[in-house]
Amino acid sequence: MEIKNVTILGAGVLGSQIAWQSAFYGFRVTVYDIDDKALEAAEKKHQEYASYFKAKRNASDEAIQNTFARLSYTLNLEEAVKDADITSESVPEVLDIKKDFYRKLADAAPEKTIFTTNSSLMVPSQYAAETGRPEKFLAMHFANPIWDANIAEIMGHPGTDKNIFDEVVTFSKAIGMVPIPLFKEQSGYVINTLLSPLLAAAGNLFFNGVADYKTIDKTWIISTGAKSGPFGIMDLVGMQTMYHVMMLKAKQMNDAEAMKRAEAIKTNFIDKGKMGISSGEGFYKYPNPEYQSPDFLK
Ligand code: NAD
């Protein structure tokens, strides 16, 4: 099947990016959200992305105009999916919300539609049954911002049709992503499976008073040739997400240390408006963080 029509389900941080990127690459995109304020915010973000694409990614005025012409927004789920060849779902990371949402989507969408989820921590088999079409359901997971960190981790569950998997791999390339196919389900995919232990280990060194955060980052940058160290990465991920991850760990594992760290992130960063790169400050100040200066590595 040739994919032409894409529907974005959930127009928050990630959904609005996937919508813009897909429309920029020539697909007709319908953006759906349950909340009219979220749709308005997504439209506003699309104006910002347009300026960014012109300034930083050499996008022509014509390409931007065509992108806007391919985008539409709706609060009506039936309307949103009536012509959809593929959907990309970015509703909140809460199992009951996802399950409930997929039950509604299963009724609303035509039989041909492929469903993909952008869930970060859950795996598709946790709600494949609710989709009513498990063979046409899998994960296509993006990183933030999707045009710079342009991987799309493609992960099926045991009931996903191999041909559908391949179609989604092809689609991800067509919207400018580098596909990362996974052979089996893995919570955290490839990137977060690698990143989580690194960030946790960096947190241990820091909170246990073994070394300061700049020294830890310096060690990593010099010895691996990476562009930033774990604390620079935390700034990129953002303090809100770091806080959520810590709270989840604290609650799920009854982990008092994780709770202490979550509270430290809240008090020292979030309450002070230091959200990471997005707000201009986290551990470091942006746009010119100290770790990018040659002196940092001396
Ligand atoms: P977000 O809170 O910014 O957006 C969620 C959107 O879903 C909101 O606009 C909300 O109004 C809408 N929504 C809530 N219930 C809905 C429903 N029943 N039907 C339709 N829309 C509904 O969240 P986000 O950061 O974009 O994350 C969404 C998903 O994407 C999560 O599964 C998350 O794990 C995943 N994800 C996020 C990131 C990231 O960096 N933020 C990266 C990769 C994947």
Side-chain angles (χ1 to χ4, degrees):
M1 177 183 71
E2 197 195 345
I3 292 178
K4 287 189 186 144
N5 300 324
V6 179
T7 299
I8 303 302
L9 304 163
V13 174
L14 257 279
S16 57
Q17 292 184 16
I18 303 163
W20 176 262
Q21 180 82 356
S22 305
F24 185 77
Y25 276 84
F27 293 88
R28 267 193 48 207
V29 178
T30 307
V31 187
Y32 164 78
D33 202 285
I34 203 171
D35 178 357
D36 60 343
K37 292 208 176 58
L39 277 190
E40 271 170 38
E43 286 195 57
K44 219 171 123 204
K45 276 191 219 141
H46 290 163
Q47 298 291 345
E48 287 167 21
Y49 301 158
S51 310
Y52 176 79
F53 269 52
K54 274 203 260 186
K56 303 277 183 195
R57 306 187 71 87
N58 291 325
S60 66
D61 287 340
E62 194 190 356
I64 296 297
Q65 269 171 21
N66 290 339
T67 304
F68 279 118
R70 286 189 285 264
L71 277 164
S72 60
Y73 307 83
T74 179
L75 288 167
N76 181 321
L77 184 59
E78 278 75 23
E79 183 64 28
V81 293
K82 72 178 192 311
D83 296 321
D85 299 312
I86 190 166
T87 62
S88 169
E89 167 268 309
S90 289
V91 307
E93 190 76 8
V94 177
L95 185 58
D96 285 342
I97 295 181
K98 301 261 192 210
K99 280 189 171 177
D100 186 50
F101 177 73
Y102 274 102
R103 278 186 212 111
K104 291 191 181 112
L105 181 63
D107 287 342
E111 211 183 302
K112 67 168 182 176
T113 313
I114 298 171
F115 293 170
T116 71
T117 178
N118 187 28
S119 170
S120 296
L121 297 171
M122 292 181 257
V123 293
S125 57
Q126 285 180 268
Y127 41 101
E130 281 72 15
T131 67
R133 62 190 74 191
E135 71 291 349
K136 290 200 185 95
F137 174 59
L138 67 165
M140 172 169 59
H141 179 248
F142 296 87
N144 182 11
I146 76 167
W147 33 82
D148 290 330
N150 65 328
I151 55 166
E153 297 182 283
I154 318 284
M155 182 173 82
H157 61 94
T160 306
D161 182 328
K162 172 81 176 77
N163 293 326
I164 299 288
F165 185 97
D166 293 343
E167 280 187 49
V168 173
V169 168
T170 304
F171 171 74
S172 72
K173 283 189 206 160
I175 59 166
M177 297 290 120
V178 176
I180 309 292
L182 276 75
F183 301 143
K184 52 161 86 169
E185 285 193 327
Q186 164 74 26
S187 172
Y189 305 83
V190 173
I191 184 62
N192 285 333
T193 303
L194 293 171
L195 215 46
S196 302
L198 173 70
L199 300 189
N204 289 342
L205 291 169
F206 179 61
F207 279 100
N208 293 336
V210 176
D212 65 72
Y213 69 89
K214 289 184 191 173
T215 302
I216 298 168
D217 275 0
K218 193 187 331 189
T219 312
W220 186 257
I221 294 171
I222 294 176
S223 45
T224 66
K227 287 189 200 155
S228 63
F231 293 94
I233 296 174
M234 289 182 209
D235 284 350
L236 173 69
V237 170
M239 292 305 158
Q240 195 70 52
T241 303
M242 291 303 301
Y243 174 76
H244 283 315
V245 171
M246 276 300 154
M247 283 300 272
L248 205 69
K249 195 172 165 196
K251 285 184 185 154
Q252 278 178 354
M253 299 178 176
N254 214 356
D255 182 337
E257 186 56 36
M259 183 59 86
K260 245 170 65 188
R261 289 186 195 180
E263 277 159 11
I265 292 170
K266 187 169 180 303
T267 319
N268 295 318
F269 293 96
I270 297 174
D271 290 352
K272 293 180 178 163
K274 297 180 185 179
M275 309 306 275
I277 295 182
S278 64
S279 73
E281 188 171 355
F283 282 96
Y284 300 93
K285 286 195 175 134
Y286 297 86
N288 300 309
E290 212 180 327
Y291 57 79
Q292 282 175 359
S293 112
D295 286 346
F296 186 77
L297 301 180
K298 285 184 181 153

